[in-house]
Structures are given as structure tokens and as C-alpha cells.
Amino acid sequence: MNKGRWNAITDVPNVHVGHVTLHKKIDEEDTICTGVTAILPHNQNLFEQKVPAASFVLNGFGKTAGLIQIEELGVLESPIMLTNTFSVGAVLEGALQHMLQENPSIGDSTSSLNIVVGECNDSHLNSMRLMAVRPEHAQNAIQHAESGYVQQGAVGAGKGMICYGVKGGIGSSSRIVENEDQPYTVGVLSLTNFGNAHECKFANWQQEQIDKPDGSVIIVVATNAPVDARQLKRLAKRASIGLGRTGTHIHNGSGDIIISFSNAYTIPHTSNSMTEEYSILRDDTDVMNNLFQAVIEATEESIYQSLLHAETTTGRKNRMISKGQL
């Protein structure tokens, strides 16, 4: 299928992405090698104008925040934040502080707020116990999020990640779904930290087995197609097919989680009406099947992109993970 201008999640109109990358050698034992990535579904007030969303847990060895409410209500009201396992709390706090500054009514005259944070374990390269990511890093990632070109590879939350035994990180891709009325865009951003070298289906890595945790992947699917939360869960499930095409068999200790949203319409936080009316795609249209294909293709390529844009990285205990030669 055709790709968008940037071949990235930001080809979906109004989606913004921001990174904060931390890389500092402390001593011979410790190195900070981590970061934060923020995905904003649109450039309006996310709490006041929520978007339909869904999640799909392929394997639940993960420490994410905020998925329960997405599952229950089918809406997203915050940026989607990505970081390392031990920094979920700090990133949640920083994103919360940003949202509270933007919305004085939260926790006062109106309801609380659901912040969504995904994570992967970067402890092979990053001294994760130091918990170097602080709330202000999350705030900076949100505040500096941009549309257009997306930095990929060993940046943001992807700085310390490893995929198929080589350097992984942030990858993104997009596909255009042609339609008589108007085309729709599907964009995917993946945080890749999974798989052993021998599982890889697209390259013959000459790598020694790395003694590290099983790893994880967080996949974020965005579209401007008019779909609801139930249909977004169907799209999220298809992302697992794109993931599987690359070779992984989803390890026991792997957190493989997909979060999907549409910004085709927004859902106001408050309304004077008891009902809401939206036009959504029928399930039995060719467009829906093409959306499935777009998610699969963009997910698969986003994983390749995370490797193509990665760079050889040295982390704690002077461990070095090489960039894979595709």
C-alpha cells in the first residue's frame, strides 16, 4: 500500500510526537541510557476533546498505566507516554502535571484524569535502578512534540532498547487507504525491545545470545478513519500479525501491548445533551479490510525502521549493542 509523506505516525493529520533522550556515563558500572516518548492524538485540549481508543494485550508481562479505563470507556484523554519499566511512575506524574496545568478543573470541579504510559525494560544498557527519568522529562517530551518528521531509532524511550539481539528503539511507518470519498491514513509507532537473534525472519544476525530479560514491544496505532472503540480493538489485534511477520514468538516474559486511537472525531468531556452522534464505518466495507491490511503493513515496517535508524550504543557495565546490518 502507498505510504504517507513522512512514512510515520505523524502522517495521520494532527498527530504529534516528542522525545527526550538521556545518555550519560556515570562511572564504570552505571550509565543512564533511556528516555521518554510522547504521542499526542491531536493538537487540541486532550482532556476536553477525547478520542476513541482501544488496547489489546497480546502478552501481559508489562507494567503499563491507564489501560483499564481505556478498556472500560473506550476513550483516550491524555498523551500516550512511553519510557522504561522503572520510570512509569515519574512519567505518569510529569504527564499529569502537564494536563493539570492545562486544565484547572481536573480534580476540582470535574473528574479525575487517566494518563496512559507504556514501558519496556532497558536494563541491559540502562542503569534502570537509578530512575534517571524525572517528571520534567515527560513534560518536555509533550511540550516539544511536533508533527511531520519523526526521529527514530535510539531516541526517546528507545535509547536503551534491544530488538532481535541488535539495537532497537523507536520505529514508525504509515499507509494510505484509498477510498472514493476520501483517503484515510494509518500510522504506527513501535517501541521495540523483543526477540532473540535466531528468531529474526528478515536478516541473519551474527550475534551472540544476550543474557537479558525477555523484553517487550509497545505498538501505537493511529488513524483518521471514522471508527469506534470496538473497531479500534479490531485494528489493534491486526498489529500483532505485523509483529509476528518479523519472527518473534512472543516470549513468556514479554509485554506485548497495542494501543490504538482515531482522531476522526472527538468526544467532548461535557455536553448538554444525553446523546452523541457520530458517523462510523460499517464493518463489512472494503475500507475496513484495507484498514486491517494497512495496520499489518505499517506495524511490520515500523519494526524494521526501528532497526534501520538505530545506532550502535554503549551502556552500563560498558556493554555495547551494535546496529544490525540489514
Side-chain angles (χ1 to χ4, degrees):
M1 304 178 77
N2 291 328
K3 304 173 186 181
R5 175 185 178 186
W6 302 103
N7 192 23
I9 194 171
T10 48
D11 286 316
V12 178
N14 298 319
V15 172
H16 290 55
V17 174
H19 301 295
V20 168
T21 305
L22 306 177
H23 195 197
K24 180 180 181 181
K25 184 178 176 65
I26 305 300
D27 52 37
E28 290 305 307
E29 181 71 17
D30 288 316
T31 295
I32 296 167
C33 184
T34 191
V36 183
T37 295
I39 302 103
L40 282 62
H42 58 66
N43 54 3
Q44 304 174 55
N45 187 308
L46 292 169
F47 180 73
E48 292 292 342
Q49 298 296 327
K50 310 175 198 301
V51 295
S55 64
F56 176 62
V57 179
L58 184 59
N59 197 66
F61 199 98
K63 289 78 181 172
T64 55
L67 296 189
I68 293 176
Q69 186 166 312
I70 286 182
E71 184 71 16
E72 182 69 22
L73 299 182
V75 296
L76 176 67
E77 59 185 13
S78 79
I80 297 172
M81 309 298 295
L82 306 177
T83 190
N84 75 69
T85 307
F86 286 176
S87 297
V88 170
V91 168
L92 190 154
E93 181 180 349
L96 177 60
Q97 289 171 343
H98 172 85
M99 297 294 289
L100 291 177
Q101 291 168 5
E102 195 174 58
N103 300 273
S105 63
I106 295 175
D108 182 12
S109 58
T110 190
S111 63
S112 61
L113 174 66
N114 184 50
I115 301 290
V116 176
V117 186
E119 54 77 29
C120 293
N121 185 337
D122 61 10
S123 61
H124 187 80
L125 288 175
N126 175 45
S127 295
M128 203 164 64
R129 290 171 59 92
L130 297 180
M131 295 189 287
V133 174
R134 305 314 308 150
E136 57 265 28
H137 297 133
Q139 291 178 297
N140 288 340
I142 296 170
Q143 291 163 359
H144 292 95
E146 297 179 336
S147 59
Y149 174 75
V150 175
Q151 283 187 295
Q152 299 178 59
V155 296
K159 182 60 183 177
M161 303 303 173
I162 303 168
C163 185
Y164 288 129
V166 297
K167 191 68 187 73
I170 296 290
S172 195
S173 184
S174 68
R175 294 294 186 274
I176 306 299
V177 175
E178 302 297 342
N179 178 34
E180 290 183 0
D181 296 327
Q182 70 173 84
Y184 299 123
T185 303
V186 170
V188 174
L189 184 144
S190 295
L191 176 62
T192 63
N193 191 53
F194 64 90
N196 294 320
H198 69 270
E199 298 173 61
C200 184
K201 296 295 185 184
F202 52 87
N204 182 22
W205 307 125
Q206 301 300 315
Q207 302 287 333
E208 295 181 3
Q209 180 67 33
I210 300 172
D211 183 17
K212 68 175 186 63
D214 283 343
S216 300
V217 61
I218 305 292
I219 300 169
V220 178
V221 178
T223 185
N224 63 341
V227 288
D228 63 13
R230 177 187 59 80
Q231 293 168 318
L232 284 164
K233 182 177 282 291
R234 301 187 76 200
L235 295 183
K237 290 178 179 179
R238 268 63 183 186
S240 65
I241 306 299
L243 174 64
R245 282 182 174 183
T246 68
T248 180
H249 59 259
I250 315 301
H251 293 202
N252 171 69
S254 185
D256 303 270
I257 295 166
I258 302 117
I259 304 166
S260 57
F261 67 84
S262 169
N263 63 10
Y265 58 93
T266 60
I267 303 161
H269 177 66
T270 59
S271 175
N272 294 324
S273 174
M274 291 180 60
T275 61
E276 298 284 351
E277 294 185 6
Y278 307 102
S279 296
I280 62 171
L281 291 172
R282 287 179 56 92
D283 290 322
D284 58 357
T285 62
D286 289 339
V287 174
M288 186 62 70
N289 285 326
N290 291 337
L291 288 172
F292 291 160
Q293 179 182 345
V295 170
I296 293 167
E297 289 189 12
T299 299
E300 181 183 13
E301 188 180 352
S302 73
I303 292 164
Y304 303 151
Q305 294 286 4
S306 74
L307 302 169
L308 285 165
H309 288 85
E311 57 190 19
T312 298
T313 301
T314 301
R316 74 184 189 101
K317 297 185 177 180
N318 291 315
R319 294 167 174 164
M320 185 177 71
I321 300 296
S322 299
K323 173 183 173 67
Q325 299 301 313
L326 295 178

